[in-house]
Amino acid sequence: MNWTPPFIWLLCLSVCECWRVTRSLPALHGQVESPNFPQPYQASLSQQWDISVPEGYQVQLSFTHLDIEPSANCYYDSLTVLYNQKVLGKFCGQENSADGHHPGNQPLLSPSNSLTLVFQTDDMNPEQHQHLGFSIHYQAKDIDECSALDTKDGPVCSQLCHNTLGSYICLCHHGYELRPDQRTCVLSCGGGIFNEPEGTLSSPGYPAPSPHGLACQYVISLELGFIVTLNFTDSFHIESIDTQNGPSCLYHWLQMSIPEKEPQKLCGGQSPGLVPINSNTVQLDYHTDWDGLSQGWSLHYTTQRVQCASPMSVTNGRVTPNFSQYFYRDYIQVRCDDGYKLMMDGKEIKSYASMCQNNGQWHLSLPECHIIDCGEPEPLLNGQITPLSGSQNQYKSSIQYQCNTPFYSLLGESTRRYTCAKDRMWRDDLGISVFPSCIPVCGKPTVSISGIRRIMGGDRAPANSIPWQVMLNVEGGRGGAMVIGDRWIMTAAHNLVKEGKPAEKDKVRVFVGDVDAVKLSKSPHLGVASLHTHPEYNNQNFANYNHDIALIKLQQPVTFHAAIMPLCLPPEDAVYTSHQTGIVSGFGIKEDDMIANELRYIRLPVVDQNICETSINEAKKERQKENIPFLTDNMFCVGVPEGGKDSCQGDSGGAYALKNARDGSFWAAGIFSWGVGCGMRGRYGVYTRVAKYIDWINKTMEENK
Ligand SMILES: *[C@@H]1O[C@H](CO)[C@@H](O)[C@H](O)[C@H]1NC(C)=O
Ligand SMILES: *[C@@H]1O[C@H](CO)[C@@H](O)[C@H](O)[C@H]1NC(C)=O
Ligand SMILES: *[C@@H]1O[C@H](CO)[C@@H](O)[C@H](O)[C@H]1NC(C)=O
C-alpha cells in the first residue's frame, strides 16, 4: 500500500470541488447498470466498467438489483467483478434462485480504490423469460489501514495507529518519537535546548539501556555571565572499546562541545562526576550505533554566576560589601576613610561603584584614597599662623592663630587652634570654621607711667608710655588728638573748623609714634581720608564749645606697635568720678614757659561738675567783657583748685585718659576743649565728655568703613 502524507490529502480535499469539474478526480459514488436496464438485456453483450474512487478508499459495491440468466458457474451470462485482473466474484441468477450465484445483500469491497466490472451475455436465449440485468451502486469507503494485516516489516505502525479518512498516521507512546520512516517509534532523546538555570538530562530510556542508533543532541545555553557545571550521577555507562591505545569511544559516545575548546568524548563505566564547564553554553551529543550496549547516563546541571576576582583592599578606604566571593552583577562601592578622598586617574570623584560584568571583569578598576587638605589658611593680619602638627595642610594638621601681642589680640583668647577637618575646613576645637581677626589692644601702653609719679605736676612722658598721642598740624597750627582705632583719630572739633569753615583734609597732618616733636614733625604724616566734625558743633564766636568733638579717618590703617597704640573708647557704663585722676598729655604743655618739644603728661583729677560750673560762673562775672563760653552736660572739668602752671596746658584736642579699674586700660574720657585763665587758682580745663558721644562715634565709624 502506498502511504500518502496526510497533509497532501487534506489539501486535496479542500480543492476537490475544482478538481471534480476537471474530472481528474474519481467520484466518491456512482451507479452502474446493465444496458437498457430496467428493460431486459440483449444477447451477445460484452461490456466493461472501470470504477475508481480516490486513493485511500475502497470501492464498495451494493447490488440494488441483479437478474441475470442463471447457469452453473454463470457459464452463459455473468457479471464479473475484478480487481487487478483477479476475480473477486462472478455473479448470475436472481435473489433466492436456486441456480446461479447471487451476491446477496452483502456489499462487496474491493481491496483498493478500483474495480472492474465485466458483463457478458451469450448469443442464445433459451428461455422465454427475459432477464432485466443489474443495477449497482458503488461508493468510496474509507480503508481502515490500521486494521490491515501486518506488512512484511512488522505492524503498520510500530506503536499506535490512527485511521483517518483515506489514510492513517502512526503515533508513538509518550517518551518515544516517530522515526523518519513515519512508522516505527524510538525512545525520545529528550534533547533540545535547555536554558533553565538548572535541570536534569539523561540518556533515552534511562535507567534502561540506551536504544541503538541514537543521535541525540542536548544544548545547555544560558545568558552570558553564567557558567554551567555538570554533575553526572554514579551510574554511568557508555560502551567503550579496548584498543591498542587503551579504551576508546569508538561506537558509542557522549561528546561534550564547549565553544573555543576541543570537543571531548566520554565513554566507559566511570562517572565523570562533577564537570565544570566554565562557559555559558555546552553541547552534548549522544551517539549509539546499531550494535553494542550502553547502560546510559544521567546528569544534573547547575549554573553559577561568573566570578570576578575579589577586589584588593584600598588603602585608607573601605570596599563594601565584603563578600568572600563576587559574582556577575554583584557590585562594590569604595568609600574613603574620614579625611581621604576618592581619586581615579588623577581626578577626584564623588563616589565609586563597580559591577562584576558577565565576562568576569570589574567594569572599573579600583580607585585610590588620597588624604585631603584644607588649603592654606587665611592669612592673619597683625598676627601669625604657626603650624602645630601635620604637613601640607593635610587632614588633621593643626595650626595656631596668634595675634601680634601685646598690640593685638584675638577676641577673648590669646591663641586659637584650628585643625583640618574631614570636610576640608579648618575648624577650631568647637568646630567653628570662621577665622578670627586680630583686634587692636587699646589703652595698654607697654611702658607704664602710673607708677612713675604719684604727685601732681608735669613730667616728660617716657617713650611708648602714651602711644595714643597724636600731633596734629592743621593749616600750620598745632593741636593734639588721640588714636582710637587703626583708621581713626579723635580730636576737638575746633581744631578742624576755623572761623566757621571746615579745614581742608589735605591741610590736616597727623603725626604719631614719637615723643620728640621735632623728630615727629619730620616723620611722614598719615594720610587723611576724611574729616568728621560733630554735626551740631557751631562755635561762631569762640563762645560755644558744645559738641567739640571730631573724627579723622585715615587713608591707611596703622599697624600698632609699642609707639602707636589706640586709646580705648569709653566703656558703656563709663562714670566720671570726682577726684579720680587721669592723664593729660601733649606737646604743648609748657615747661618754664617754653613750648616743650617733648611729650609731657600731667596727672589731674576730674572736678565735681558743680564746682566746675561755679568756677565758670565766677569767671563770667569777673570778665564780663570777655565772651566766656558756657558749660554744658557734654563737658566736664579737669584740674586742681589751687591751680598751677601745668594744670591746663595739654594740647587742645588731646586726650584726658582715665584708667578702667576693671582691666587697667586707659580710656578716652575727655578731649581738651577750652579753659579760662590757664593755671589760675580756681580755674579748670574744660573737656568734651566723650562718653556722651559713643553713639555718634560708633555711627560715624560704621558709616565710613
Ligand atoms: C552531585 O550530585 C550528587 C548526587 O548525585 C550530590 O551528592 C552532590 O552533592 C552533587 N555535587 C554538587 C557539587 O552539586
Ligand atoms: C571581610 O571579611 C573577612 C571574613 O569574612 C574578614 O576576614 C575581613 O577582615 C573582612 N574585611 C574587611 C575589610 O572588613
Ligand atoms: C558700635 O555698634 C555696634 C553695633 O551697632 C556695637 O556692637 C558696638 O558695641 C558699638 N560700639 C560701641 C563702642 O558702642
Side-chain angles (χ1 to χ4, degrees):
M1 151 174 326
N2 286 335
W3 181 86
T4 309
F7 68 92
I8 291 181
W9 175 226
L10 284 174
L11 188 72
C12 291
L13 277 181
S14 66
V15 293
C16 259
E17 293 303 318
C18 319
W19 286 18
R20 195 174 282 175
V21 170
T22 62
R23 289 165 196 253
S24 48
L25 196 74
L28 284 170
H29 57 87
Q31 190 90 20
V32 181
E33 291 169 347
S34 52
N36 286 342
F37 185 85
Q39 303 299 317
Y41 58 80
Q42 297 147 359
S44 301
L45 286 174
S46 176
Q47 193 160 347
Q48 176 173 333
W49 293 265
D50 291 320
I51 298 172
S52 61
V53 293
E55 256 182 62
Y57 290 83
Q58 290 168 292
V59 183
Q60 177 178 282
L61 300 180
S62 303
F63 296 86
T64 49
H65 193 83
L66 189 106
D67 174 18
I68 295 173
E69 180 189 0
S71 58
N73 289 330
C74 304
Y75 180 79
Y76 299 113
D77 291 354
S78 66
L79 174 65
T80 311
V81 181
L82 293 143
Y83 171 71
N84 247 355
Q85 271 131 43
K86 200 173 130 201
V87 176
L88 298 183
K90 193 172 181 183
F91 304 106
C92 58
Q94 296 137 336
E95 201 176 351
N96 304 324
S97 72
D99 305 330
H101 185 230
H102 192 278
N105 290 324
Q106 291 306 309
L108 193 143
L109 267 181
S110 84
S112 184
N113 65 328
S114 63
L115 268 187
T116 303
L117 298 181
V118 178
F119 185 45
Q120 281 180 316
T121 57
D122 65 358
D123 48 4
M124 294 189 298
N125 201 343
E127 292 176 41
Q128 292 306 313
H129 179 76
Q130 293 207 328
H131 299 280
L132 299 182
F134 63 90
S135 166
I136 297 173
H137 180 79
Y138 72 89
Q139 69 181 62
K141 190 162 192 305
D142 183 41
I143 305 172
D144 182 6
E145 294 89 347
C146 293
S147 60
L149 286 178
D150 293 353
T151 66
K152 65 179 186 323
D153 297 328
V156 176
C157 291
S158 71
Q159 286 189 351
L160 303 170
C161 184
H162 179 68
N163 187 44
T164 61
L165 266 184
S167 185
Y168 70 102
I169 48 173
C170 293
L171 300 172
C172 298
H173 292 299
H174 179 72
Y176 289 78
E177 56 193 37
L178 207 56
R179 293 180 48 189
D181 67 7
Q182 301 294 340
R183 197 176 70 78
T184 51
C185 295
V186 284
L187 269 169
S188 167
C189 284
I193 294 180
F194 297 79
N195 51 18
E196 298 295 316
E198 67 177 294
T200 300
L201 274 59
S202 54
S203 55
Y206 182 87
S210 302
H212 284 145
L214 287 177
C216 295
Q217 190 173 77
Y218 312 83
V219 178
I220 301 172
S221 179
L222 285 118
E223 64 172 296
L224 278 173
F226 290 85
I227 54 170
V228 178
T229 302
L230 307 181
N231 187 2
F232 284 91
T233 58
D234 288 343
S235 59
F236 177 94
H237 176 259
I238 296 172
E239 183 195 71
S240 71
I241 301 298
D242 287 323
T243 67
Q244 284 168 335
N245 305 325
S248 158
C249 310
L250 213 47
Y251 303 118
H252 292 194
W253 65 75
L254 179 62
Q255 178 172 280
M256 247 173 15
S257 309
I258 303 165
E260 288 159 40
K261 282 195 188 150
E262 275 294 299
Q264 192 191 347
K265 281 181 179 170
L266 303 173
C267 61
Q270 181 72 40
S271 168
L274 212 57
V275 182
I277 297 300
N278 249 329
S279 163
N280 64 320
T281 171
V282 57
Q283 178 179 319
L284 298 171
D285 288 289
Y286 186 41
H287 175 90
T288 60
D289 69 356
W290 296 98
D291 233 325
L293 177 69
S294 288
Q295 295 291 351
W297 48 269
S298 168
L299 67 83
H300 184 73
Y301 78 87
T302 52
T303 47
Q304 296 80 35
R305 285 181 291 160
V306 165
Q307 191 172 357
C308 280
S310 284
M312 312 283 272
S313 62
V314 174
T315 313
N316 298 312
R318 239 164 354 106
V319 181
T320 53
N322 180 15
F323 291 156
S324 53
Q325 289 172 312
Y326 296 82
F327 297 99
Y328 172 46
R329 287 183 183 152
D330 283 344
Y331 69 92
I332 51 168
Q333 287 179 303
V334 174
R335 286 197 186 83
C336 290
D337 297 342
D338 279 353
Y340 291 83
K341 57 187 175 185
L342 280 168
M343 296 287 289
M344 255 186 94
D345 303 327
K347 280 188 197 138
E348 186 179 350
I349 51 171
K350 273 213 169 74
S351 62
Y352 172 92
S354 178
M355 199 176 83
C356 177
Q357 303 174 111
N358 61 19
N359 60 0
Q361 301 289 317
W362 292 102
H363 94 279
L364 287 177
S365 56
L366 278 180
E368 290 172 6
C369 287
H370 289 185
I371 194 163
I372 57 156
D373 71 78
C374 286
E376 285 296 325
E378 247 175 57
L380 183 61
L381 188 63
N382 299 310
Q384 290 117 40
I385 301 167
T386 324
L388 293 180
S389 66
S391 64
Q392 295 174 307
N393 302 316
Q394 282 173 348
Y395 179 57
K396 283 195 172 161
S397 299
S398 61
I399 51 172
Q400 180 173 278
Y401 266 57
Q402 190 163 25
C403 292
N404 294 338
T405 51
F407 313 105
Y408 293 90
S409 74
L410 290 167
L411 204 59
E413 315 160 64
S414 55
T415 60
R416 212 153 130 192
R417 199 173 72 145
Y418 285 82
T419 305
C420 179
K422 63 184 178 189
D423 62 356
R424 303 181 207 190
M425 301 285 278
W426 290 102
R427 292 188 179 277
D428 70 6
D429 297 344
L430 295 175
I432 293 168
S433 67
V434 180
F435 287 120
S437 50
C438 290
I439 51 170
V441 172
C442 65
K444 293 242 173 114
T446 52
V447 173
S448 169
I449 49 169
S450 53
I452 297 174
R453 281 265 174 138
R454 292 216 162 269
I455 50 154
M456 298 295 172
D459 205 343
R460 282 185 183 184
N464 306 338
S465 61
I466 306 177
W468 53 81
Q469 181 68 48
V470 173
M471 189 171 88
L472 265 194
N473 191 316
V474 182
E475 292 169 3
R478 210 159 94 175
M482 69 207 83
V483 179
I484 57 166
D486 60 1
R487 278 174 173 274
W488 291 97
I489 305 293
M490 185 161 70
T491 188
H494 72 258
N495 275 343
L496 303 182
V497 183
K498 300 288 184 207
E499 292 161 8
K501 276 196 237 158
E504 286 174 41
K505 66 175 184 175
D506 297 342
K507 299 211 170 136
V508 176
R509 295 193 172 167
V510 175
F511 299 94
V512 287
D514 211 305
V515 291
D516 185 323
V518 177
K519 264 167 83 183
L520 203 53
S521 58
K522 289 175 183 165
S523 73
H525 60 271
L526 305 180
V528 172
S530 53
L531 303 176
H532 307 269
T533 52
H534 193 280
E536 289 172 59
Y537 174 74
N538 183 6
N539 188 6
Q540 296 285 355
N541 309 314
F542 305 104
N544 182 359
Y545 282 87
N546 207 8
H547 312 301
D548 190 11
I549 184 168
L551 294 175
I552 299 171
K553 191 188 176 199
L554 301 177
Q555 283 168 356
Q556 303 295 328
V558 180
T559 300
F560 297 130
H561 49 80
I564 311 173
M565 278 183 85
L567 188 57
C568 302
L569 285 173
E572 244 166 52
D573 55 352
V575 284
Y576 292 72
T577 317
S578 308
H579 310 303
Q580 191 188 356
T581 353
I583 292 173
V584 175
S585 58
F587 293 94
I589 297 172
K590 281 181 188 161
E591 191 179 27
D592 303 328
D593 286 333
M594 299 281 285
I595 292 267
N597 270 330
E598 281 155 338
L599 181 63
R600 297 181 74 84
Y601 73 96
I602 314 168
R603 299 166 61 85
L604 290 171
V606 173
V607 175
D608 179 274
Q609 191 74 359
N610 290 331
I611 296 175
C612 176
E613 189 154 9
T614 308
S615 146
I616 306 287
N617 289 341
E618 279 172 9
K620 283 193 184 218
K621 276 185 215 152
E622 277 173 29
R623 307 181 179 200
Q624 285 182 0
K625 283 179 197 158
E626 286 179 45
N627 210 356
I628 306 280
F630 50 89
L631 190 75
T632 69
D633 280 351
N634 300 320
M635 306 170 190
F636 68 102
C637 287
V638 166
V640 284
E642 64 270 26
K645 57 183 177 183
D646 294 337
S647 65
C648 63
Q649 298 287 339
D651 285 324
S652 169
Y656 176 70
L658 279 174
K659 198 168 192 175
N660 187 330
R662 245 190 336 257
D663 62 3
S665 62
F666 285 99
W667 56 279
I671 305 166
F672 184 40
S673 182
W674 55 283
V676 185
C678 185
M680 282 171 61
R681 184 184 177 84
R683 298 286 183 265
Y684 306 100
V686 181
Y687 286 71
T688 305
R689 193 184 285 267
V690 180
K692 286 263 186 182
Y693 294 97
I694 290 280
D695 288 346
W696 175 76
I697 294 168
N698 205 349
K699 184 167 157 258
T700 306
M701 286 180 170
E702 284 292 319
E703 286 172 0
N704 296 281
K705 265 188 179 163

